[in-house]
Amino acid sequence: MTNSRTFTETINGARLVIEELGPQDAPAIVVHHGAPGLGSRSEPLRSFGPFADAYRIVTFDARGSGSSSDDGPFSHEQWVADIEEIRTRFGLGDIVMAGGSYGGFLAMEYTLAHPDRVRALVLRDTAADTSHDHLAVERARDFDVVPIDPWAIERIGTGNFADNTEFERYWRAILPLYDHHYDPAAVERKAANTQYHFATHNAAFGVNMPAYDLTGRLPEITCPVLVTVGRHDWRTPVPASELIAGSVADGRLVVFEHSGHSPQLEEPELFQATVRGFLRDVGVTPHG
């Protein structure tokens, strides 16, 4: 990947693996991955790596995920503080904040905590509260492409895993739900390449999510916001994105008709064109 630079930095007491791409004098986009304890910077690198031709892309494995250390706490406040420390240490100035799924939760939390530092916000398949979570369980029960293990359905969003072996069993069971077009080989690759951190996931979904509700604060987000979502997203459905786009001061919603939870990977060309157009429209001028 062009101009990729990888660093291991101690950030607020945790060892984080951080990757940077693109020209250092270009506008900075900080991208946060989703799925604490399962996700890593690999997805943001695929999704936003192409933007390194014109933007400075910074992404990282959050504490308790990927190749970063398992030093807690695994709280929204701590993860937001880590973003701010990275922004400061790398001299990023005012940033575009981006995040998908759980990374979108943290992107919104960061924007609320540091509104003067965010030029624009790019969200993907996320939610401002848990009011749509019951729909995910219903969709898993009704899924007719392959059967989903009832044991796994009962654990969706619970954060209740005893160890990484149990956690991997769960992840393999629900992975077919994520993409609009089921590809068993792709599911196996994703499961095999995941670094499992069950304690992080337990904290995220067993402790953080029951108290998560940003709906009352969304009008405080005054920077331009792009909200993207796959039409067939099982986990954070279109109404969750409609709520965000309709509640922030300057929101625009784009629904990707041929995608599930990952339009940035399922319809990459359209996703990239949509984000580039948004950034140009709101005055985040690309490099060069």
Side-chain angles (χ1 to χ4, degrees), residues 147-175:
I148 305 299
D149 186 344
W151 173 89
I153 294 173
E154 290 174 4
R155 281 157 181 77
I156 292 171
T158 62
N160 183 23
F161 297 97
D163 52 33
N164 282 333
T165 300
E166 192 173 82
F167 192 29
E168 180 175 355
R169 176 188 168 193
Y170 165 78
W171 186 229
R172 286 179 178 274
I174 67 168
L175 268 173

Side-chain angles (χ1 to χ4, degrees), residues 19-260:
E19 196 155 348
E20 180 183 35
L21 301 88
Q24 293 191 322
D25 59 346
I29 304 177
V30 176
V31 192
H32 205 293
H33 67 77
L38 290 166
S40 72
R41 70 190 190 281
S42 63
E43 181 272 315
L45 287 171
R46 287 177 65 194
S47 306
F48 281 84
F51 292 82
D53 62 340
Y55 296 93
R56 183 181 183 184
I57 306 301
V58 178
T59 188
F60 57 98
D61 295 346
R63 64 175 63 222
S65 292
S67 297
S68 291
S69 68
D70 287 327
D71 295 287
F74 306 126
S75 66
H76 288 195
E77 293 79 6
Q78 185 61 65
W79 283 320
V80 165
D82 292 346
I83 298 169
E84 175 61 5
E85 176 62 20
I86 290 169
R87 187 199 65 80
T88 302
R89 190 173 303 189
F90 281 71
L92 301 181
D94 296 345
I95 62 173
V96 174
M97 187 69 220
S101 196
Y102 204 111
F105 307 164
L106 299 176
M108 287 184 280
E109 296 261 30
Y110 178 83
T111 302
L112 287 165
H114 301 280
D116 56 332
R117 294 302 185 188
V118 181
R119 303 175 65 181
L121 178 59
V122 177
L123 301 174
R124 191 267 307 160
D125 296 84
T126 191
D129 66 359
T130 60
S131 62
H132 299 90
D133 281 12
H134 66 284
L135 299 174
V137 175
E138 292 175 13
R139 286 189 175 90
R141 288 192 179 122
D142 295 340
F143 193 64
D144 60 1
V145 178
V146 295
I148 305 299
D149 186 344
W151 173 89
I153 294 173
E154 290 174 4
R155 281 157 181 77
I156 292 171
T158 62
N160 183 23
F161 297 97
D163 52 33
N164 282 333
T165 300
E166 192 173 82
F167 192 29
E168 180 175 355
R169 176 188 168 193
Y170 165 78
W171 186 229
R172 286 179 178 274
I174 67 168
L175 268 173
L177 294 162
Y178 279 89
D179 294 331
H180 183 37
H181 299 289
Y182 173 58
D183 179 350
V187 165
E188 175 56 33
R189 279 196 306 274
K190 186 177 288 188
N193 290 332
T194 296
Q195 293 169 278
Y196 295 90
H197 303 253
F198 79 97
T200 311
H201 187 88
N202 284 351
F205 287 92
V207 179
N208 300 343
M209 290 312 295
Y212 175 69
D213 186 354
L214 300 180
T215 54
R217 299 196 63 195
L218 289 176
E220 298 174 34
I221 298 178
T222 57
C223 69
V225 183
L226 174 65
V227 185
T228 66
V229 62
R231 174 66 70 189
H232 309 282
D233 186 347
W234 80 283
R235 192 66 180 91
T236 49
V238 172
S241 287
E242 291 173 337
L243 188 154
I244 297 169
S247 300
V248 296
D250 181 7
R252 48 209 85 179
L253 174 69
V254 178
V255 179
F256 291 78
E257 297 296 336
H258 306 289
S259 292

Side-chain angles (χ1 to χ4, degrees), residues 256 263-264 266-274:
F256 291 78
Q264 79 286 12
E266 295 179 88
E267 298 180 73
E269 295 85 3
L270 181 57
F271 179 84
Q272 291 164 30
T274 299

